[in-house]
Amino acid sequence: MGLPAALPVSGPPVTLGEGNTPVVRLRNGPDRAGANAAMARAVEQPGRYPLTSYSSPSPGGNPPPSSQPRSSRGDPHANEGYKPVAYELARDFSRRQLDMVVVPTSRADLLAGIGRGFRELAAAGLIGREPRLVAAETAAAAPFTAALRHPDRADQERTRVTGGPTVAFSLGEERPCRQGLDALWRGRGTAVAVDDEAIMAGHRRPAAGLLLEPSSAVASAVVRAQARTSGGLVVAIGTATGLKGLVG
């Protein structure tokens, strides 16, 4: 028997069943706060589990308004769970120098966790140097790309952008979370934004045989551009399957 779960997606809300595992798909709200609130209501039902983060802000992200309850501020240790991604990459490419890791980025939880993992490996002498981190964003809302255009870090933290519609509906923030900026600062990183045409090209052309959802195909689209210029080993992180978009 599976576990009942909740998941925000585009399109009308429906309930799907696979065996004994009902999945409630929630219509995304007009903004991130709406989606988070819908998820919070859904998982209040006994026995239902979230399939995505719904804390606001993300763990380690920008401070919430003073009016927001402490219970909704997320777990500051949650990103530790992403460090094994770095460990596995170091293991799998132990005979080669990993030059660059491209991560689909919105609130930067994954980016921050991977950065921490590589820093710990380097500090322990288990890798020669940390790979460069790249935050892959949709051009419709690319706060990290906009922020890094400013030479002053204080200006980077104050950056705000106005988002627009995009096929990469899981991505897009108005401002860069500090945890993401910190990961890029420490890891000699950068941010690259790609438009919907490039994203859908990556979505339609499976990477290494894997069908990626558009929000994940952002990374593969960036990798195809970076691999032509870096001359080193570039890895894209795939965060979600494109199969879920074929359901319903």
Side-chain angles (χ1 to χ4, degrees), residues 19-246:
N20 293 319
T21 309
V23 178
V24 177
R25 302 174 72 204
L26 308 167
R27 181 192 293 274
N28 275 336
D31 52 28
R32 179 77 64 180
N36 288 341
M39 280 292 295
R41 290 192 298 271
V43 300
E44 286 177 355
Q45 297 188 30
R48 184 173 290 163
Y49 300 86
L51 294 185
T52 187
S53 169
Y54 61 95
S55 64
S56 179
S58 58
N62 293 308
S66 58
S67 59
Q68 187 169 341
R70 182 174 297 276
S71 60
S72 64
R73 299 185 188 185
D75 186 340
H77 305 294
N79 290 353
E80 298 293 304
Y82 291 122
K83 294 192 298 186
V85 177
Y87 304 160
E88 292 180 14
L89 288 174
R91 177 200 63 194
D92 293 346
F93 297 101
S94 60
R95 298 181 182 276
R96 302 178 63 184
Q97 175 60 56
L98 187 56
D99 183 60
M100 191 178 295
V101 177
V102 182
V103 185
T105 300
S106 183
R107 296 187 292 180
D109 298 340
L110 181 59
L111 183 76
I114 291 174
R116 292 178 194 176
F118 279 122
R119 290 198 300 274
E120 291 183 1
L121 290 171
L126 297 175
I127 57 175
R129 65 176 174 83
E130 302 169 39
R132 191 180 187 201
L133 297 178
V134 179
E137 300 184 284
T138 168
F144 289 98
T145 302
L148 294 180
R149 295 192 184 108
H150 301 292
D152 184 73
R153 288 188 175 182
D155 289 336
Q156 292 177 12
E157 291 184 282
R158 289 192 290 265
T159 298
R160 285 183 177 272
V161 299
T162 300
T166 174
V167 294
F169 60 85
S170 297
L171 305 182
E173 292 287 328
E174 291 184 352
R175 58 179 179 169
C177 289
R178 194 183 190 284
Q179 63 179 3
L181 288 173
D182 181 69
L184 297 177
W185 294 336
R186 291 172 180 262
R188 305 172 294 110
T190 189
V192 178
V194 288
D195 60 23
D196 279 3
E197 182 178 356
I199 293 170
M200 290 307 296
H203 170 63
R204 297 188 186 101
R205 183 170 60 179
L210 299 175
L211 176 63
L212 302 175
E213 73 160 5
S215 300
S216 187
V218 169
S220 61
V222 171
V223 160
R224 288 189 173 97
Q226 295 296 315
R228 290 193 292 267
T229 58
S230 73
L233 177 60
V234 183
V235 170
I237 302 297
T239 53
T241 175
L243 292 175
K244 65 183 183 182
L246 304 179

